[in-house]
Amino acid sequence: MEKYQVALLMNIRKQLQEWFEKSQPVQYQDVKRFLHSLAGTSQTIGLEYLGKVSAELLDGISENPQSTWDTKELQILLIDIIKICYKDEGIGIPEEAINKLFTKFYRVDNSDMRKIGGTGLGLSIVKEIVKSHQGEIKVNSEWKKGSTFTISLPLMTTHSVEQIEQEKEDGKRSIIIIEDDKSLASLLQVELKESGFYVRHFDRGEAAIEAIQANPPEAIVLDIMLHEHEMNEWDILKTLKGDPTTEHIPIFISSALDEKNKGMEFGAYAYLVKPYQPSKLTNTILQMIVEKNEGNGEILVPRSDTE
């Protein structure tokens, strides 16, 4: 679960950085879409506090809509997201253990209350990931009352999406994601890449179709709520299924709308209704590959998390 959480936090920073660096007003609908995505995705992967904050902010701007937000207003609005807190009501951490908490293999001595095992590596890995992004993680805790972990991420220049996408396929099975929800797309990319796939992401239909026709992937994940006033999702599906060079590619619809019958009539291979665990998509794609390879002698060996 941690890998999805870290991927989401990195994606949040990327989006906020993009807005703040432009120093231009941000459209209300873009802010609303961003918060709506966070509210749903955060709950799905165990970041309940972030989901709650996002939902509250979404309610706030919906009650008092304004056409645009300047960057200063946006920073004030999103301060709770820029500095993310994760709170629990667990057994807490003894004061003498705080300074050792992020040390590899360190575990707080609470054997009398322990029900779930562990290696003592989780928090040290989180700290290294946050540090690699020039961020900071802090903890405040009160014994037998709970803990609060705070992650602060700077809005710094990062590699562009285009630079990241330059990685080579190296013989991996290729997947293309067409999804304008950057938070969900980021989680799906993490899950699919860790399962051995080469993943490309597009948030515009025209660009995705061009890439698919130039280099057909093994499968396509298609969102059914793309940007308005552009090529819509059903047009994308019809275009791909009407082209002899792409009609054979399995398309997995990912949608907040339950329109499975329509999707299957248009030629989709499978239909997933949001929100869902990213692993569900991976398992569905792997099952499709197994079915395709039955009878040709190819054996699919899924990668384990330890590889």
Side-chain angles (χ1 to χ4, degrees), residues 240-254:
L240 293 173
K241 288 303 177 182
D243 184 340
T245 64
T246 60
E247 64 178 354
H248 66 285
I249 303 173
I251 297 177
F252 298 78
I253 292 180
S254 171

Side-chain angles (χ1 to χ4, degrees), residues 28-284:
Y28 166 77
Q29 287 298 332
D30 290 335
V31 178
K32 184 177 179 180
R33 185 182 296 113
F34 173 72
L35 292 174
H36 185 272
S37 169
L38 285 185
T41 306
S42 301
Q43 298 282 355
T44 302
I45 61 173
L47 290 175
E48 288 83 4
Y49 178 76
L50 179 57
K52 179 182 178 182
V53 169
S54 302
E56 290 174 351
L57 291 173
L58 181 62
D59 289 341
I61 68 169
S62 298
E63 291 175 2
N64 301 287
Q66 57 188 71
S67 58
T68 61
W69 297 78
D70 64 38
T71 52
K72 288 185 177 179
E73 289 178 317
L74 205 55
Q75 287 183 9
I76 293 172
L77 173 70
L78 301 178
I79 188 65
D80 282 337
I81 291 177
I82 298 171
K83 181 174 285 189
I84 302 153
C85 296
Y86 183 84
K87 300 180 180 179
D88 67 43
E89 297 179 356
I91 62 174
I93 302 165
E95 185 176 353
E96 63 272 16
I98 296 291
N99 292 335
K100 304 175 185 177
L101 198 59
F102 297 98
T103 303
K104 291 180 181 178
F105 302 110
Y106 178 77
R107 300 173 71 189
V108 177
D109 183 13
N110 59 353
S111 55
D112 58 325
M113 304 179 73
R114 189 189 306 281
K115 293 182 180 180
I116 302 175
T119 62
L121 281 172
L123 286 175
S124 65
I125 292 173
V126 170
K127 184 176 181 179
E128 289 303 314
I129 293 173
V130 173
K131 281 179 62 179
S132 72
H133 291 273
Q134 287 71 54
E136 182 181 31
I137 181 169
K138 295 181 178 180
V139 58
N140 290 311
S141 184
E142 189 172 350
W143 180 238
K144 294 187 178 180
K145 288 192 176 181
S147 306
T148 299
F149 289 84
T150 303
I151 296 176
S152 302
L153 298 172
L155 297 172
M156 49 175 283
T157 301
T158 58
H159 295 294
S160 67
V161 173
E162 290 75 15
Q163 289 172 312
I164 295 173
E165 296 290 355
Q166 287 176 359
E167 63 182 51
K168 295 181 180 180
E169 292 191 42
D170 294 328
K172 297 179 180 178
R173 297 177 184 273
S174 175
I175 305 289
I176 281 183
I177 299 173
I178 310 173
E179 169 68 73
D180 67 347
D181 182 336
K182 293 182 180 180
S183 299
L184 179 58
S186 178
L187 302 185
L188 296 179
Q189 283 181 284
V190 169
E191 170 69 23
L192 291 168
K193 285 181 178 179
E194 291 202 350
S195 296
F197 293 104
Y198 169 71
V199 186
R200 289 177 289 165
H201 169 232
F202 298 87
D203 61 1
R204 297 293 189 277
E206 292 84 352
I209 288 177
E210 184 177 333
I212 291 167
Q213 292 172 334
N215 189 10
E218 183 89 17
I220 298 166
V221 179
L222 174 63
D223 173 34
I224 292 297
M225 290 188 70
L226 293 172
H227 291 288
E228 298 177 359
H229 311 303
E230 297 178 10
M231 188 176 192
N232 69 41
E233 57 283 346
W234 301 114
D235 291 335
I236 296 172
L237 188 56
K238 287 189 288 186
T239 298
L240 293 173
K241 288 303 177 182
D243 184 340
T245 64
T246 60
E247 64 178 354
H248 66 285
I249 303 173
I251 297 177
F252 298 78
I253 292 180
S254 171
S255 177
L257 305 176
D258 191 357
E259 297 182 304
K260 181 176 181 179
N261 291 337
K262 182 177 180 180
M264 303 308 281
E265 288 175 4
F266 273 62
Y269 182 89
Y271 196 106
L272 302 179
V273 180
K274 302 176 186 176
Y276 55 83
Q277 289 290 343
S279 58
K280 181 177 181 180
L281 174 64
T282 300
N283 292 335
T284 305

